[in-house]
């Protein structure tokens, strides 16, 4: 379906004053090239200046049958006929004919040194390009300047080469000196005559790079763009991709696809081709083989060929048997660059292929997957079409008409990865096209476009080709689908005209579209046509922004730039481009706001698009609310798209805080439209200025109608807290058990926390309810924070920041870590918490033992911890039970209960299975071994490291009464041998030195009892010292022997 809108894309037109009747025209480089009827003279007119003044004119060497201009290199290429022979020629430096320089150099392809331009300065040159076959079509690449020539069954690619004139002069002088020594003086004189400005001009030449053989297709038109090669026959279009490869291709690898030539065997029959469309990799299945013949001498690389697109049409005889009614025309490859690309250095982000039948046109996107973007259904027979960034211009016999294109939609998605998300949006590539108002003419024959200038050639003949077709006898079906040669213009024609029609600026056309859209907005704001027209305006602005971003690079490569004499023009042009871009961006913001308005009231299918469009508009939430207020007389309520936008705005952590008036309006909106969302709305950080009394009444009404819920109760308690009604706040909080309240906080975490939506480094802050819970319900706050962490609602660093904000970093924060240690199952989190808790316990022990730290910031709070050491031992596996020998080492006098709790918790961690001793060892160096509790911690670490020998020695030195309890617990299983290998010798030596030490003697007796139980009599006998005290060991030896006998 094609929409039709009464928007006029043209602003003015002028007639080019041409002396002779034009035969054909083309444009490029700011110039219009007119080939006079008869085809032996070319006139160039400036389309960028008022009146289109003549730039220059020059004669050609034959009758021009086809002419093309290349933006890169600023050269013209023609197919000419003379004496029944066809030639291919390129005309370079044609602009210098405007300086009345009649001298013209003629040279063959590849012959640079002997041209007159080397000896006598810059002049126009004609390059003869020899071909083995007759050229039928020609095309220039708008990116590289390369040349593609279509012959009978081949395509020949010529690469554009540039060489600086100064280097050419040096080479020429060297050759002349070596060949003709006497010519040195004349060469230097001619070099002095050439101006210094001309020495920097590049000399253009071409190199034959590759030949593509297509035996089953006869090119009628060809196109070339950045490695893409397109060829058009009467009913077929084939697009190929040529890539340069450094790997040589073996003889066995051929790009030719062998197909059975069964059609040739059916020469006696008329075979109509069936309709066929093959995209991407499937295009290689077409029946057109292609083989590569590389001919370049300088280019050592190989070429690889891939099929991109193939389309074949069946002939349509709805108007009779005239074959010309079904022939393809207007083949075009069109590149598009994004704003972050350099036009001159990079390949385009998008490449589009357009071709047309007289009744329909087709636009394909080739990069990133081949896709049919648009199919244009023409209201009448189209003679020719030209694709541009913004519009598709088509001509019929008596009208010029414009259609919109979808190139900008493709480029926008390549340029910005956030398109089609909640952040940004763009109308889809599949959006139906529309036709704008047409401009009537008489007898149009051809069209070409340069920038905003559309050039039209019209002839008013006494007998038009259409009348000729109607009066000509209808022929039967022809086996060969050939195009008849164009009829020469009759000398008795009534006249001709050459028009330059200027299109309006995209911003002007956009404004006219917006004015046109107001008709739909007034009658039916939800009409599909309104949305479609605004989408068209959006794509128009996007295409203009892409164009303005590349204008600076384009202007730098403008071949007409050296002819400018005003030094201020580049600066003025740059300023104008910046101004235009600012206006376009402002218009794009307004358009996004209008599209947001459309989708905010739209259906459920696409209401989500209101969010990205409103975001792109730059409007504040207050402005969006003002645009969506329903009229008092309107029965409609708030649209689904607007509510979707508002919910996303309130759910996201934004820094924009609404005023009380706006916040109350938001409460009213959701109380009317979606009451179930009121809890989430009230919890939004943007709503801190809402009226608590007014909101409380609405929440109470919601509770009466919808029933009691835990998040709703917590929200009502928050409102009571904001009203300083603590009794009512307490009553509401006591409605539900603590665990149910925790579930309520999990369901709506923003009742406790604001911020943090952007990750762990995002600023996060506590709410008023959080501050109150820290005072009145610390256990509930800790449990809620643990639940939020385990449900990925808050991160560990963010929770730490909350407790610091509350001033509870040394009390509630430690309680939170201890609770997290019980709940968490993540090993990395557990190790981090163990290290933090051990550090805190050591800090508490250090600070409580030193008066110098009485005023330190980590002074322990007098508030009782939520969990005691016994609670943690009983409920958390990471806290181990205290070893029995630690009770012997407990200090006789404790300074405070906090000190004892910290000591027991640290000892319990060291007794547990999870704490790494290596990580806390350096921290324990701060604790002295002079105190018995400090000694116990160091002894624990040594024991955990397996240093039993050293631990036994240190324990016998400091507290021998604990040695048996230590040995009974630690010296078991694989360490049992230490009873007689280490402990027994140590006790023997020490009792020998202090025979009256009852503690050592008691420990020795206990040790001998264990040794007698675990060793054989022979082993026990070897352990008895030989210092004359054997009688002391005999009772134990006897017990060992009796045990052995019983066993």
């Amino acid at each position: 379906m094609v929409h039709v809108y009464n928007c006029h894309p043209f602003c003015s037109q002028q007639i080019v004053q041409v002396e002779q009747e034009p035969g054909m025209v083309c444009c490029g480089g700011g110039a219009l090239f007119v080939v006079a009827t008869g085809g032996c003279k070319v006139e160039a007119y400036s389309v960028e200046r008022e009146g289109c003044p003549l730039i220059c004119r020059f004669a050609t060497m034959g009758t021009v049958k086809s002419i093309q201009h290349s933006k890169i290199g600023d050269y013209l290429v023609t197919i000419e006929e003379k004496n029944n022979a066809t030639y291919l020629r390129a005309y370079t430096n044609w602009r210098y004919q405007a300086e009345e320089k009649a001298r013209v150099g003629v040279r063959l392809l590849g012959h640079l040194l002997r041209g007159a331009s080397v000896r006598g300065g810059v002049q126009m040159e004609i390059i003869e390009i020899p071909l083995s076959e007759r050229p039928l079509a020609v095309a220039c690449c708008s990116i590289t300047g390369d040349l593609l020539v279509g012959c009978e069954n081949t395509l020949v690619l010529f690469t554009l080469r540039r060489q600086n004139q100064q280097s050419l002069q040096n080479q020429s002088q060297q050759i002349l000196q070596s060949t003709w020594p006497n010519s040195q003086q004349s060469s230097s004189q001619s070099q002095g005559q050439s101006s210094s400005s001309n020495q920097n001009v590049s000399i253009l030449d071409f190199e034959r790079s590759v030949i593509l053989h297509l035996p089953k297709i006869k090119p009628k038109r060809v196109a070339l763009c950045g490695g893409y090669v397109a060829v058009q026959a009467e009913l077929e279009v084939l697009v190929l991709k040529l890539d340069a490869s450094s790997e040589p291709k073996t003889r066995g690898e051929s790009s030719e696809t062998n197909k059975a030539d069964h059609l040739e065997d059916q020469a006696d029959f008329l075979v109509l081709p069936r309709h066929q469309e093959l995209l991407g990799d499937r295009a290689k299945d077409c029946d057109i083989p292609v083989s590569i013949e590389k001919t370049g001498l300088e280019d050592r690389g190989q070429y690889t060929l891939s099929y991109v697109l193939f389309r074949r049409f069946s002939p349509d005889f709805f108007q009779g048997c005239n074959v010309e009614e079904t022939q393809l025309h207007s083949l075009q490859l069109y590149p598009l660059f994004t704003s972050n690309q350099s036009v001159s250095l990079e390949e385009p982000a998008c490449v589009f292929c357009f071709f047309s039948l007289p009744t329909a046109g087709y636009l394909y996107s080739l990069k990133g997957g081949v896709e049919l973007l648009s199919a244009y259904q023409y209201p009448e027979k189209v003679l020719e079409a030209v694709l541009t960034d913004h519009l598709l211009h088509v001509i019929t016999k008596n009208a010029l008409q414009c259609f919109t294109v979808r190139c900008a939609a493709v480029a926008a998605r390549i340029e910005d990865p956030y398109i089609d998300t909640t952040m940004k949006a763009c109308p889809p590539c599949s959006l139906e096209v529309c036709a704008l108002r047409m401009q009537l003419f008489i007898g149009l024959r051809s069209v070409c476009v340069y920038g905003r200038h559309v050039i039209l050639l019209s002839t008013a003949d006494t007998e038009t080709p259409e009348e000729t077709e109607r009066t000509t006898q209808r022929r039967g079906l022809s086996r060969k689908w050939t195009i008849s040669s164009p009829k020469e213009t009759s000398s008795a024609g009534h006249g001709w005209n050459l028009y330059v029609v200027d299109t309006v600026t995209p911003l002007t056309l956009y404004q006219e579209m917006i004015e046109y859209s107001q008709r739909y907005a007034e009658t039916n704001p939800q009409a599909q046509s309104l949305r479609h027209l605004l989408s068209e305006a959006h794509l128009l602005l996007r295409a203009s922004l892409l164009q303005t971003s590349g204008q600076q690079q384009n202007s730098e490569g403008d071949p007409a730039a050296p002819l400018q004499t005003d030094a201020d023009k580049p600066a003025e042009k740059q300023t104008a481009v910046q101004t235009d871009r600012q206006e376009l961006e402002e218009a794009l913001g307004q358009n996004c706001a209008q599209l947001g308005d459309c989708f905010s009231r739209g259906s459920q299918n696409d209401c989500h698009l209101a969010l990205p469009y409103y975001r792109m508009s730059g409007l504040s939430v207050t402005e969006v609310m003002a645009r969506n207020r329903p009229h008092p007389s309107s029965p409609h309520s708030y649209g689904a798209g607007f509510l979707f936008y508002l919910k996303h705005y309130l759910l996201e952590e934004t820094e924009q805080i609404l005023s009380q008036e706006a916040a109350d309006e938001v409460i009213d909106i959701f109380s009317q439209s979606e009451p179930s969302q009121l809890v989430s709305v009230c919890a939004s950080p943007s709503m801190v200025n809402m009226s608590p009394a007014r909101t409380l009444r609405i929440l109470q009404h919601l509770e009466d109608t919808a029933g009691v819920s835990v998040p709703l109760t917590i929200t009502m308690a928050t409102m009571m807290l904001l009203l300083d009604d603590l009794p009512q706040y307490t009553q509401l909080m006591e409605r539900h058990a603590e665990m149910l309240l925790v579930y309520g906080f999990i369901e709506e975490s923003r009742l406790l926390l604001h911020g943090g939506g952007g990750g762990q480094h995002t600023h996060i802050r506590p709410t008023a309810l959080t501050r109150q819970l820290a005072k009145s319900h610390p256990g509930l706050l800790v449990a809620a924070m643990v639940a939020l962490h385990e449900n990925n609602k808050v991160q560990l660093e963010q929770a730490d920041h909350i407790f610091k904000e509350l001033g509870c970093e040394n009390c509630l924060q430690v309680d939170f870590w201890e609770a997290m240690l019980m709940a968490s199952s993540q090993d990395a989190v557990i190790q981090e918490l163990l290290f933090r808790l051990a550090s805190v316990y050591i800090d508490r022990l250090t600070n409580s033992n030193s008066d110098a730290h009485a005023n330190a910031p980590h002074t322990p709070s007098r508030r009782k911890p939520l969990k005691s050491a016994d609670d943690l031992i009983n409920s958390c596996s990471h806290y181990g039970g205290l070893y029995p020998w630690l009770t012997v080492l407990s200090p006789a006098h404790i300074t405070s209960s906090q000190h004892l709790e910290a000591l027991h918790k640290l000892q319990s961690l060291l007794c547990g299975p999870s704490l790494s001793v290596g990580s806390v060892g350096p921290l324990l160096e701060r604790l002295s071994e002079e105190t018995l509790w400090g000694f116990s911690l160091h002894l624990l670490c040594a024991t955990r490291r397996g240093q039993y020998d050293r631990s036994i020695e240190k324990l016998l030195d400091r507290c021998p009464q604990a040695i048996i309890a230590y040995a009974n617990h630690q010296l078991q299983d694989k360490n049992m041998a230490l009873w007689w290998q280490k402990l027994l010798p140590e006790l023997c030596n020490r009792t020998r030195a202090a025979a009256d030490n009852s503690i050592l003697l008691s420990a020795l007796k206990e040790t001998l009892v264990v040794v007698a139980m675990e060793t054989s009599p022979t082993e026990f006998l070897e352990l008895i010292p030989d210092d004359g005290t054997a009688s002391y060991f005999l009772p134990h030896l006897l017990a060992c022997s009796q045990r052995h006998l019983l066993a």
Side-chain angles (χ1 to χ4, degrees):
M1 176 180 176
V2 177
H3 297 255
V4 180
Y5 298 122
N6 193 22
C7 299
H8 206 300
F10 309 111
C11 61
S12 65
Q13 72 180 40
Q14 53 185 325
I15 298 177
V16 183
Q17 301 299 323
V18 185
E19 295 181 358
Q20 299 182 9
E21 180 179 358
M24 63 185 64
V25 296
C26 77
C27 56
L32 166 64
F33 303 95
V34 181
V35 179
T37 301
C40 293
K41 184 172 68 173
V42 177
E43 295 179 341
Y45 297 87
S46 175
V47 296
E48 296 182 325
R49 296 172 61 185
E50 187 68 27
C52 299
L54 179 69
I55 299 177
C56 64
R57 60 167 58 93
F58 54 89
T60 59
M61 300 180 69
T63 302
V64 178
K65 296 299 181 181
S66 176
I67 184 169
Q68 293 286 333
H69 175 268
S70 172
K71 177 178 70 174
I72 307 300
D74 192 30
Y75 66 87
L76 288 167
V77 59
T78 61
I79 297 176
E80 303 177 9
E81 285 187 0
K82 188 174 183 180
N83 298 329
N84 294 326
T86 307
Y87 303 90
L88 181 67
R89 296 186 174 101
Y91 294 78
T92 66
N93 298 332
W94 55 269
R95 295 182 186 272
Y96 289 92
Q97 291 297 100
E99 301 178 6
E100 303 299 331
K101 294 185 177 180
R103 185 165 50 186
V104 176
V106 181
R107 59 183 175 88
L108 278 175
L109 177 80
H111 292 68
L112 290 173
L113 297 179
R114 298 185 181 182
S117 61
V118 178
R119 300 190 299 270
V122 179
Q123 63 183 16
M124 189 176 83
E125 286 191 340
I126 303 175
I127 304 174
E128 291 277 357
I129 303 176
L131 293 168
S132 59
E133 298 182 56
R134 183 171 67 93
L136 302 177
V138 66
C140 305
C141 178
S142 60
I143 300 173
T144 62
D146 294 347
L147 182 62
L148 180 68
V149 183
C151 300
E152 188 73 23
N153 293 116
T154 59
L155 300 178
V156 186
L157 177 64
F158 294 89
T159 304
L160 179 66
R161 302 296 186 189
R162 296 173 181 265
Q163 193 161 356
N164 186 274
Q165 179 154 327
Q166 180 64 42
S167 62
L168 284 176
Q169 289 180 353
N170 295 336
Q171 294 175 14
S172 178
Q173 186 174 358
Q174 292 174 3
I175 294 176
L176 288 173
Q177 289 178 2
S178 61
T179 307
W180 305 99
N182 296 332
S183 66
Q184 179 178 1
Q185 182 177 1
S186 61
S187 175
S188 62
Q189 290 176 356
S190 64
Q191 185 177 1
Q193 292 174 358
S194 63
S195 62
S196 60
S197 63
N198 292 336
Q199 293 177 359
N200 295 325
V201 177
S202 296
I203 302 299
L204 302 182
D205 198 27
F206 299 92
E207 179 192 0
R208 196 189 315 263
S209 294
V210 66
I211 298 176
L212 302 180
H213 294 274
L214 297 87
K216 290 190 175 182
I217 189 170
K218 182 177 181 180
K220 296 297 182 182
R221 189 159 181 168
V222 295
L224 176 66
C225 179
Y228 288 91
V229 175
V231 55
Q232 170 192 297
E234 291 176 352
L235 293 171
E236 296 166 326
V237 172
L238 176 65
V239 181
L240 308 168
K241 182 70 166 66
L242 269 179
D243 292 303
S245 173
S246 58
E247 298 180 0
K249 185 179 292 187
T250 61
R251 186 175 182 84
E253 297 177 355
S254 175
S255 299
E256 183 173 356
T257 306
N258 296 321
K259 305 285 183 179
D261 297 335
H262 60 278
L263 294 179
E264 294 182 3
D265 298 334
Q266 302 174 358
D268 295 335
F269 299 93
L270 171 63
V271 179
L272 297 180
R274 62 183 177 87
H275 182 83
Q276 194 174 19
E277 181 186 39
L278 301 174
L279 307 181
D281 294 336
R282 294 182 56 217
K284 65 179 181 294
D285 298 331
C286 69
D287 57 354
I288 299 180
V290 181
S291 59
I292 299 178
E293 176 187 351
K294 180 176 172 298
T295 61
L297 300 178
E298 298 179 8
D299 190 358
R300 297 287 187 261
Q302 302 291 331
Y303 284 94
T304 58
L305 183 69
S306 57
Y307 288 78
V308 177
L309 166 67
F310 175 74
R311 181 142 189 188
R312 172 183 288 144
F313 296 90
S314 298
D316 189 354
F317 300 108
F318 68 95
Q319 292 183 356
C321 297
N322 188 4
V323 180
E324 294 181 7
E325 295 291 337
T326 63
Q327 289 178 350
L328 289 166
H329 60 77
S330 304
L331 176 67
Q332 189 176 353
L333 290 177
Y334 192 80
L336 198 60
F337 293 84
T338 56
S339 59
N340 53 4
Q341 284 187 300
S342 170
V343 176
S344 57
L345 298 179
E346 299 182 17
E347 65 177 18
C350 318
V351 177
F352 303 96
C353 178
F354 176 81
F355 49 87
S356 182
L357 288 168
T359 57
Y362 301 91
L363 177 62
Y364 285 85
S365 174
L366 302 183
K367 294 197 70 173
V370 185
E371 177 187 5
L372 175 62
L373 294 181
S374 305
Y376 297 88
Q377 299 298 325
Y378 305 136
E380 55 181 309
K381 177 184 174 183
V382 167
L383 305 179
E384 196 171 357
V386 180
L387 178 68
T388 66
D389 284 343
H390 305 88
L391 299 169
L392 173 70
H393 299 278
V394 302
I395 59 169
T396 64
K397 177 187 175 184
N398 294 317
L400 166 65
Q401 190 167 11
C402 296
F403 294 85
T404 55
V405 296
R406 300 290 167 259
C407 301
V410 177
R413 285 165 172 81
I414 293 176
E415 180 182 33
D416 193 341
Y418 291 100
I419 294 291
D420 299 327
T421 65
T422 59
M423 301 300 297
K424 295 181 181 179
C426 179
C429 303
S430 58
L431 185 71
E432 295 174 340
V433 297
C434 75
L436 304 181
R437 186 191 303 176
M438 66 175 60
Q439 185 78 15
L440 298 178
F441 291 89
I442 298 177
L444 290 180
R445 282 179 47 191
S446 67
V447 59
C448 58
V449 179
Y450 176 78
R452 289 177 45 218
H453 310 287
V454 181
I455 292 92
L456 303 172
L457 175 60
S458 69
T459 59
D461 296 336
T462 54
E463 185 181 16
T464 65
E466 310 293 341
E467 294 170 348
T468 305
E469 293 174 5
R470 284 194 294 267
T471 54
T472 303
Q473 181 181 1
R474 299 287 186 181
R475 298 186 302 271
L477 294 176
S478 173
R479 287 206 306 267
K480 294 185 178 180
W481 305 98
T482 57
I483 183 171
S484 59
S485 57
K487 182 178 181 291
E488 294 293 334
T489 304
S490 172
S491 58
H494 291 288
W496 42 264
N497 277 312
L498 190 58
Y499 301 97
V500 176
V501 180
D502 292 341
T503 59
V504 298
T505 63
L507 194 58
T508 304
L509 183 56
Y510 160 79
Q511 292 168 349
E512 186 175 355
M513 286 183 172
I514 296 304
E515 292 177 2
Y516 193 80
S517 67
Q518 296 303 317
R519 305 178 187 178
Y520 297 107
E522 293 171 358
T523 57
N524 186 4
Q526 299 183 17
Q528 187 70 24
S529 297
L530 172 61
R531 188 179 308 171
H532 184 274
L533 186 54
L534 292 176
S535 299
E536 290 286 5
H538 184 93
L539 292 178
L540 184 68
L541 293 176
R542 280 196 178 271
S544 302
L545 286 170
L546 289 173
Q547 191 178 47
T548 54
S549 63
Q551 278 184 356
Q552 183 177 1
Q553 293 95 329
N554 283 333
S555 63
E556 291 173 357
D558 190 354
L563 300 180
Q564 294 178 352
T565 58
D566 189 358
D568 295 333
K569 283 186 178 181
E572 293 176 357
K573 188 172 184 179
Q574 182 67 20
T575 304
V577 169
Q578 293 176 355
T579 303
D580 291 344
R581 185 170 186 83
Q582 291 176 357
E583 294 178 350
L584 289 170
E585 289 175 348
E586 292 176 2
L588 185 65
Q590 297 171 2
N591 174 261
C592 289
Q594 293 167 330
L595 279 170
D597 293 342
C598 280
F599 289 109
S600 68
R601 307 180 185 95
S603 62
Q604 292 288 344
N605 295 331
D606 48 18
C607 65
H608 63 280
L609 292 174
L611 175 62
Y613 279 118
Y614 274 141
R615 277 179 168 163
M616 294 165 61
S617 69
L619 296 176
S620 66
V621 65
T622 308
E623 293 171 326
V624 174
M625 289 165 55
R627 299 172 73 99
N628 283 273
R629 290 193 186 104
H631 297 290
S633 59
S634 174
H636 300 288
S637 59
Y638 296 97
F642 170 64
L643 294 176
F644 182 82
Y645 161 79
L646 204 54
K647 281 188 288 187
H648 269 263
Y649 171 82
L650 296 172
L651 287 172
E652 293 176 355
E653 306 298 339
T654 60
E655 296 299 327
Q656 185 179 357
I657 297 177
L658 299 178
S659 63
Q660 180 178 344
E661 181 182 357
D664 290 343
E665 184 179 355
V666 170
I667 296 294
D668 290 337
I669 290 172
F670 281 94
S671 65
Q672 299 172 20
S673 303
E674 292 189 35
S676 61
Q677 297 292 327
L678 276 174
V679 172
S680 297
V681 170
C682 293
S684 172
S686 302
M687 300 289 290
V688 294
N689 291 328
M690 62 185 168
S691 172
R694 188 173 182 274
T695 305
L696 182 61
R697 289 194 297 271
I698 296 175
L699 293 176
Q700 289 172 342
H701 176 72
L702 175 63
E703 186 181 55
D704 295 337
T705 56
V708 178
S709 70
V710 177
L712 179 57
T713 300
I714 299 175
T715 307
M716 293 170 62
T718 303
M719 297 299 112
M720 287 295 185
L721 185 63
L722 295 177
L723 292 171
D724 293 329
D725 191 346
L726 292 180
Q728 286 294 324
Y729 157 78
T730 305
Q731 181 181 353
L732 286 169
M733 292 297 289
E734 291 176 352
R735 271 190 186 180
H736 307 284
E738 183 176 292
M739 188 51 64
L740 290 178
L741 293 175
V742 170
Y743 288 142
F745 288 125
I746 293 175
E747 187 175 342
E748 186 49 74
S749 62
R750 293 181 302 167
L751 291 170
L752 287 179
L753 311 174
H754 281 170
Q760 69 178 49
H761 300 293
T762 306
H763 178 66
I764 192 170
R765 58 194 181 276
T767 63
L769 179 61
T770 308
R771 297 184 184 276
Q772 180 61 29
L773 289 178
K775 300 175 185 177
S776 59
H777 299 83
L780 175 59
L781 177 60
V782 169
M785 294 298 292
V786 171
L788 292 180
H789 180 275
E790 291 305 297
N791 286 273
N792 299 320
K793 302 282 187 175
V794 68
Q795 300 184 22
L796 189 60
E797 290 79 6
Q798 294 175 333
D800 293 341
H801 179 75
I802 288 294
F803 288 111
K804 290 178 182 178
E805 287 275 328
L806 296 171
C808 306
E809 61 268 24
N810 204 35
C811 52
L812 276 184
Q813 184 176 14
V814 179
D815 293 331
F816 168 70
W817 290 344
E818 292 172 347
M820 278 291 303
L821 201 58
M822 289 187 286
S824 180
S825 60
Q826 303 176 31
D827 186 64
V829 174
I830 291 172
Q831 293 301 320
E832 175 68 21
L833 291 171
L834 287 170
F835 179 78
R836 291 184 181 186
L837 288 170
S839 303
V840 169
Y841 298 150
I842 292 172
D843 282 345
R844 289 179 176 179
L845 292 171
T846 305
N847 294 335
S848 64
N849 198 45
S850 175
D851 294 334
H853 295 83
N855 297 323
H858 295 285
T859 302
S861 171
R862 294 188 180 273
R863 187 190 64 79
K864 184 179 179 180
L866 295 176
K867 295 287 185 180
S868 65
D870 291 336
D871 295 333
L872 293 173
I873 292 171
N874 294 328
S875 59
C876 182
S877 62
H878 303 292
Y879 286 87
L882 296 180
Y883 298 157
W885 54 269
L886 287 173
T887 58
V888 184
L889 296 179
S890 296
H893 302 285
I894 298 298
T895 57
S896 66
S897 61
Q898 287 90 348
H899 183 280
L900 184 60
E901 280 292 326
L903 177 62
H904 286 174
K905 288 179 179 179
L906 183 56
Q907 288 175 339
S908 179
L909 281 181
L910 290 171
C911 294
S914 304
L915 180 63
S916 172
V917 178
S919 63
V920 298
L923 298 177
L924 287 172
E925 299 298 330
R926 297 163 51 190
L927 298 177
S928 173
E929 294 188 28
E930 295 179 359
T931 60
L932 202 57
W933 58 266
F935 169 71
S936 69
L937 295 172
H938 286 280
L939 189 64
L940 268 174
C941 287
T943 302
R944 286 282 304 274
R945 292 191 180 102
Q947 300 172 356
Y948 295 104
D949 292 356
R950 181 183 172 190
S951 298
I952 292 172
E953 294 174 2
K954 294 179 70 174
L955 191 57
L956 288 172
D957 291 338
R958 289 293 303 273
C959 189
Q961 60 268 31
I963 188 64
I964 296 303
Y966 178 86
N968 282 331
H969 187 268
Q970 303 296 152
L971 304 184
Q972 298 295 325
D973 300 329
K974 63 179 181 180
N975 298 319
M976 181 63 73
L978 292 176
W979 280 89
W980 53 87
Q981 291 177 0
K982 179 62 180 179
L983 181 56
L984 181 60
E986 282 288 336
L987 288 173
C988 290
N989 293 334
R990 290 174 187 269
T991 53
R992 189 181 298 114
D996 57 346
N997 193 324
S998 60
I999 297 176
L1000 291 176
L1001 286 173
S1002 176
L1004 180 59
K1005 290 180 182 180
E1006 294 287 342
T1007 303
L1008 288 172
V1009 170
V1010 173
V1011 172
M1013 291 291 293
E1014 298 295 335
T1015 60
S1016 65
T1018 305
E1019 293 172 341
F1020 190 90
L1021 188 61
E1022 292 177 355
L1023 295 175
I1024 298 176
D1026 54 357
D1027 57 354
T1029 59
S1031 59
Y1032 182 82
F1033 295 93
L1034 290 178
H1036 299 284
L1037 179 60
L1038 179 61
C1040 179
S1041 300
Q1042 291 174 349
R1043 183 191 59 81
H1044 188 68
L1045 288 174
L1046 292 175

